[in-house]
Amino acid sequence: MSKNRRRRSQGRHTPVRNVPLRTHWLLLTTLVLTLSAALLLEGYTQHLFDDRPDGAPRGQAPGTSVPAAIGSGGPVIEGAAGRTATPAPRTIALTFDDGPDPLWTPKILDVLRRNDVRATFFTVGTRVAENPDLTRRIVAEGHQIGLHSFTHTDLGTASAWRRSLELRETQLVIAGATGVTTPLLRPPYSSTNKALGDADWKAVVQAGQEGYLTVLTTLDSQDWRRPGVEAIVAGATPADSAGQIVLMHDAGGDRTQTVAALEQLVPRLKASGWKFATVGDAVALPATVQSAGTADRWQGLALITAMRTSGWILDALSWLLWAAGAISLFRAVAVFVAARRHVRMRRKPWGAPVTEPVSVIVPAYNESAGIEAAVRSLLASDHPVEVIVVDDGSTDGTADIVEALRLPGVRVIRQQNAGKPAALNTGIAAASCNLLVMVDGDTVFEPDAVRMIVQPFAHRRVGAVSGNAKVVNRGGLLGRWQHIEYVVGFNLDRRLFDLAECMPTVPGAVGAFRREALLRVGGVSDTTLAEDTDLTMALCRDGWRVVYEERAKAWTEAPASLGALWKQRYRWCYGTLQAMWKHRGALAQRGQAGKLGRRGLVYLLMFQVLLPLLAPVVDVFAVYGLVFLDPLRIVGLWTAFLLLQVLMGLYAFRLDGERPGPLWSLPLQQFVYRQLMYLVVIQSVFTAVAGSRLRWQRMERYGSLQVPVTPSGPLAEPQFLPAAPPAAEARTETWPDPTAPYGGHDADPSWASHPAAPGPQNHIWPSQQGHPYP
């Protein structure tokens, strides 16, 4: 036994982790919930932010429920008790709303510091979170801080729960940023006591019940209008000696006029004998600002961190989504252009017609439901074939069924269960022809499929050919969706891969191989779950061309339940990841291997791994857009994307000679099937990262396959009928060592002594007698 053989044998008996993963779903759920929370927070704070100026016109609301004492009282209101307070005579309290602003608030603070004046800043919670250092400066310089809601919302029109949320969150971010709490509140869009409406009063009462004092105004400087410096100074100048609370702004737009007006207003009023004070001092409120509790401070810091993080996440997502959209559009254009060029390219013949006989290898494990149809369809081929059914330890009588058919040109090899790669290797070793076709036991061939699939071998560089696998059980939505995926996804991509000479996969359902090529790469490897992808990549790295022949059609059973589909695609995706990692060295190679690495592997990584990983993000972001952005724009973008998918589908169906009827279900596919496929990729990636390994999983068979009588014409559905009974017995062999290696540069050559091994003699198969093909 060679060293390589011993190494392979030892590798098969190495314990394999096969523990079901649960933590990755917990992690994925946590990530999605975290993303959703971040987007919800960002949407609430940014897209529910009311950016109308405080003095924006409002309809005069009835104020029948406002007590007379409130309407004629002072501007500081204790809503729960119905009491008011008025600033002391010749005392003026400057108040600034809508900040802090990183540009204008520092300028205003500088003017106040030069004039030794203390003011009151009614801050917006979201802007405090954006500028915590500036908020700390306000408090550190002796100014008073108050609440101006969290998103500058009109508290009078807001629901009771939102009022509480707005006030509580604003208080928390102030506590987190400054370490203090404040009872002072100025509702956005408020003005004087006389302007209070019934809804406004209700908000004032609720605020009072929650411990807040509502601070209205007595003088509006009108700086929000930007009427000019002199007009602002005039509007903020008292007409008599009564104490005043003056409304100004340190954010919400260009405040150049406000800063300039302060430079004139403060010295002028001081010269007139006016005293400047905070609101609390002006009305003699005891201990207005207090130290925040530890819990409030830490909650505030957490909220600030969450808000800033959500902003970064949204920025990153925006860039990623733009990039993903651009790449997806580029892919659609590239696939379309490649498909058109591929059609023109395939009109040219490969060379002289290939007429030599073909060995068809059918690995079978518990394929009793469809094995008869599969074998009969192969014998109905218009090309000389031998059929080798390798029964891999079936327990349902698969081999017995084939033997009972007594079909000419059919050989049955029984072996102990060793897996699909071992079964394929057994069939390859037993084959008598130089051209091999590998077909799954749940697949039936069109009569001309074998002839079509071997024609590219007229070109000496072609080592393998991918056929056109089509879904036979198309009933129901799941069947239609898989039919669409096979035609639009798989086959269009194969045309692109063929044109770029980087075909990553010859499907197990219908593929042809040059024997020489298989021997050079050492046969079918069992180190990955996607043995077809692994083998194809190995051939590319060995310098062989792998091409696509869309005229070689085979019909295969697709999973008929979501559970079966999940298992199949999970195995496919995980196996593809294994193969990509195994053949990552192709990225640095030249020639045919380099084309696989820098074209095929990069394409798979971008469009079958990275983009699916972003799918939940896209879906969550779409919901975010419907709730917080322009719903019509989001629906329009989704419709444009769907229209692109439909156009691609129509073109792909036309190329494949299919009726476009199933495309009506494409919108539903985007809502259900697409998400399922993305979750498969996500689970596969998590499984790979966790270092776990899956065992090969067999798909459930449904017995929906029958032998095609004639090739399907353009736009025609296949018709399946039973074949005529055979006239001769099938040959049966038993191979005791199915896992023995074969072929390749370092393989044990002992397999060549087997009676089925190819020799120098010519073979004439029973199916060739009187065969019409020249």
Side-chain angles (χ1 to χ4, degrees):
M1 181 181 291
S2 67
K3 293 181 179 179
N4 286 333
R5 181 169 179 177
R6 287 195 300 268
R7 189 179 302 117
R8 288 174 186 152
S9 178
Q10 292 168 359
R12 277 190 293 271
H13 295 289
T14 301
V16 175
R17 289 179 59 193
N18 192 36
V19 180
L21 291 178
R22 295 294 180 266
T23 56
H24 68 287
W25 284 117
L26 178 61
L27 178 60
L28 176 61
T29 302
T30 302
L31 290 175
V32 171
L33 290 178
T34 301
L35 174 62
S36 302
L39 292 178
L40 182 62
L41 181 59
E42 185 72 9
Y44 183 85
T45 57
Q46 299 299 320
H47 299 290
L48 293 185
F49 192 98
D50 195 338
D51 57 1
R52 293 176 299 158
D54 281 331
R58 301 174 68 200
Q60 185 62 39
T64 55
S65 64
V66 181
I70 299 297
S72 59
V76 180
I77 306 171
E78 186 180 0
R83 297 179 299 183
T84 66
T86 303
R90 300 195 69 79
T91 300
I92 189 167
L94 294 177
T95 62
F96 297 90
D97 289 4
D98 295 351
D101 182 273
L103 176 61
W104 302 110
T105 302
K107 294 179 181 293
I108 290 173
L109 288 174
D110 291 342
V111 173
L112 297 176
R113 185 180 65 244
R114 287 194 297 269
N115 290 276
D116 194 24
V117 168
R118 304 293 179 268
T120 303
F121 288 78
F122 290 99
T123 56
V124 177
T126 56
R127 288 179 173 158
V128 170
E130 294 170 359
N131 305 282
D133 294 338
L134 189 52
T135 309
R136 281 192 288 272
R137 178 184 171 185
I138 292 173
V139 175
E141 293 185 2
H143 302 287
Q144 205 165 63
I145 195 166
L147 283 65
H148 198 49
S149 81
F150 196 63
T151 59
H152 200 265
T153 189
D154 188 342
L155 298 179
T157 60
S159 60
W161 69 265
R162 188 174 178 190
R163 292 174 193 150
S164 295
L165 179 65
E166 291 276 328
L167 301 184
R168 176 58 179 165
E169 300 307 296
T170 309
Q171 188 74 274
L172 284 178
V173 293
I174 290 176
T178 66
V180 300
T181 59
T182 175
L184 301 181
L185 163 68
R186 171 166 292 160
Y189 310 108
S190 61
S191 56
T192 63
N193 295 51
K194 293 181 180 180
L196 284 174
D198 291 336
D200 301 322
W201 173 242
K202 188 175 181 180
V204 171
V205 172
Q206 181 179 343
Q209 293 170 345
E210 296 180 13
Y212 294 97
L213 298 173
T214 301
V215 180
L216 303 181
T217 61
T218 57
L219 283 179
D220 185 354
S221 68
Q222 299 283 310
D223 65 338
W224 54 274
R225 293 183 182 274
R226 301 182 186 86
V229 175
E230 290 301 326
I232 293 174
V233 171
T237 301
D240 51 32
S241 61
Q244 304 291 336
I245 294 181
V246 179
L247 172 63
M248 304 185 85
H249 296 82
D250 64 330
D254 187 347
R255 296 303 174 205
T256 304
Q257 294 180 10
T258 301
V259 175
L262 276 177
E263 295 278 13
Q264 299 181 23
L265 177 67
V266 174
R268 185 180 300 177
L269 291 179
K270 276 190 172 183
S272 301
W274 283 87
K275 174 185 176 182
F276 287 89
T278 64
V279 169
D281 292 340
V283 297
L285 294 175
T288 306
V289 176
Q290 298 180 352
S291 296
T294 302
D296 284 350
R297 185 163 189 177
W298 280 106
Q299 289 181 55
L301 288 172
L303 180 56
I304 292 173
T305 302
M307 291 177 61
R308 303 184 80 172
T309 302
S310 66
W312 297 333
I313 290 175
L314 188 63
D315 291 341
L317 288 181
S318 298
W319 283 106
L320 287 175
L321 291 175
W322 277 111
I327 293 173
S328 298
L329 182 61
F330 171 77
R331 174 183 178 271
V333 173
V335 168
F336 177 76
V337 173
R340 289 181 60 85
R341 291 188 61 186
H342 188 267
V343 170
R344 293 195 296 269
M345 182 177 68
R346 284 295 168 262
R347 290 172 181 166
K348 302 177 181 178
W350 288 98
V354 176
T355 59
E356 62 180 284
V358 174
S359 295
V360 182
I361 301 169
V362 186
Y365 175 73
N366 289 349
E367 297 284 1
S368 60
I371 192 65
E372 178 179 355
V375 172
R376 288 186 184 279
S377 73
L378 294 170
L379 290 181
S381 299
D382 60 6
H383 191 92
V385 298
E386 72 161 342
V387 178
I388 303 173
V389 178
V390 182
D391 183 85
D392 189 42
S394 297
T395 59
D396 66 346
T398 297
D400 297 334
I401 292 175
V402 179
E403 291 170 357
L405 296 176
R406 303 173 61 192
L407 294 171
V410 178
R411 298 165 58 192
V412 178
I413 299 176
R414 297 174 182 262
Q415 68 176 34
Q416 296 178 354
N417 181 256
K420 185 177 180 181
L424 289 172
N425 288 336
T426 296
I428 294 170
S432 302
C433 302
N434 292 322
L435 299 182
L436 311 178
V437 171
M438 299 181 187
V439 53
D440 289 339
D442 63 336
T443 305
V444 298
F445 271 37
E446 295 278 358
D448 62 348
V450 174
R451 173 167 55 87
M452 289 297 182
I453 203 170
V454 298
Q455 296 310 307
F457 290 118
H459 195 294
R460 188 65 187 86
R461 287 183 56 211
V462 173
V465 183
S466 168
N468 187 348
K470 307 179 79 63
V471 175
V472 65
N473 50 332
R474 305 176 182 181
L477 280 177
L478 192 60
R480 290 190 183 93
W481 290 340
Q482 292 178 85
H483 171 44
I484 293 173
E485 183 183 27
Y486 271 64
V487 175
V488 181
F490 299 160
N491 288 346
L492 280 184
D493 277 348
R494 287 194 182 103
R495 288 181 168 90
L496 175 63
F497 290 138
D498 190 1
L499 198 67
E501 298 185 24
C502 61
M503 185 78 68
T505 305
V506 172
V510 51
F513 300 86
R514 194 184 295 274
R515 184 185 186 87
E516 175 190 355
L518 292 175
L519 296 179
R520 283 178 49 172
V521 300
V524 184
S525 172
D526 63 354
T527 58
T528 71
L529 291 182
E531 74 288 332
D532 48 4
T533 300
D534 188 1
L535 176 60
T536 308
M537 291 183 178
L539 292 172
C540 289
R541 295 188 68 185
D542 195 46
W544 295 97
R545 276 284 309 276
V546 180
V547 300
Y548 174 53
E549 178 51 78
E550 66 270 19
R551 294 173 298 177
K553 298 178 181 179
W555 298 85
T556 186
E557 279 190 326
S561 67
L562 288 177
L565 177 65
W566 177 275
K567 290 180 180 179
Q568 182 198 64
R569 298 310 172 84
Y570 187 19
R571 179 175 60 84
W572 284 6
C573 184
Y574 184 80
T576 300
L577 291 176
Q578 289 178 308
M580 290 171 63
W581 180 253
K582 177 179 177 180
H583 296 285
R584 64 191 183 279
L587 291 167
Q589 292 181 282
R590 295 183 178 181
Q592 194 64 45
K595 293 176 182 178
L596 169 70
R598 290 181 290 277
R599 298 176 186 176
L601 295 185
V602 171
Y603 185 94
L604 292 177
L605 179 64
M606 290 179 59
F607 296 107
Q608 294 192 20
V609 179
L610 296 182
L611 282 183
L613 289 177
L614 285 176
V617 176
V618 174
D619 294 335
V620 171
F621 197 85
V623 176
Y624 170 84
L626 290 173
V627 175
F628 296 110
L629 303 179
D630 184 1
L632 292 178
R633 181 184 178 189
I634 299 300
V635 172
L637 289 174
W638 186 84
T639 303
F641 172 78
L642 181 60
L643 179 61
L644 178 63
Q645 297 292 314
V646 170
L647 293 176
M648 293 295 294
L650 289 171
Y651 183 62
F653 270 57
R654 178 186 174 189
L655 291 180
D656 253 33
E658 295 282 354
R659 293 192 180 97
L663 290 175
W664 70 264
S665 64
L666 192 59
L668 292 176
Q669 186 190 47
Q670 300 301 308
F671 282 110
V672 180
Y673 190 82
R674 183 173 63 93
Q675 281 74 9
L676 180 66
M677 295 300 100
Y678 290 160
L679 288 176
V680 166
V681 175
I682 292 170
Q683 171 146 338
S684 300
V685 171
F686 272 106
T687 305
V689 172
S692 298
R693 184 174 176 181
L694 301 178
R695 293 195 181 98
W696 193 88
Q697 296 172 329
R698 178 187 171 276
M699 194 188 81
E700 182 181 356
R701 305 307 185 197
Y702 311 102
S704 56
L705 296 171
Q706 292 180 327
V707 183
V709 176
T710 58
S712 300
L715 299 178
E717 295 292 342
Q719 294 180 346
F720 297 100
L721 293 174
E729 293 186 4
R731 290 172 54 191
T732 303
E733 303 169 20
T734 300
W735 285 39
D737 188 12
T739 60
Y742 78 99
H745 302 295
D746 57 354
D748 187 340
S750 60
W751 66 272
S753 62
H754 191 273
Q761 71 274 18
N762 294 324
H763 294 272
I764 301 297
W765 309 112
S767 58
Q768 287 183 257
Q769 300 175 5
H771 202 285
Y773 191 82

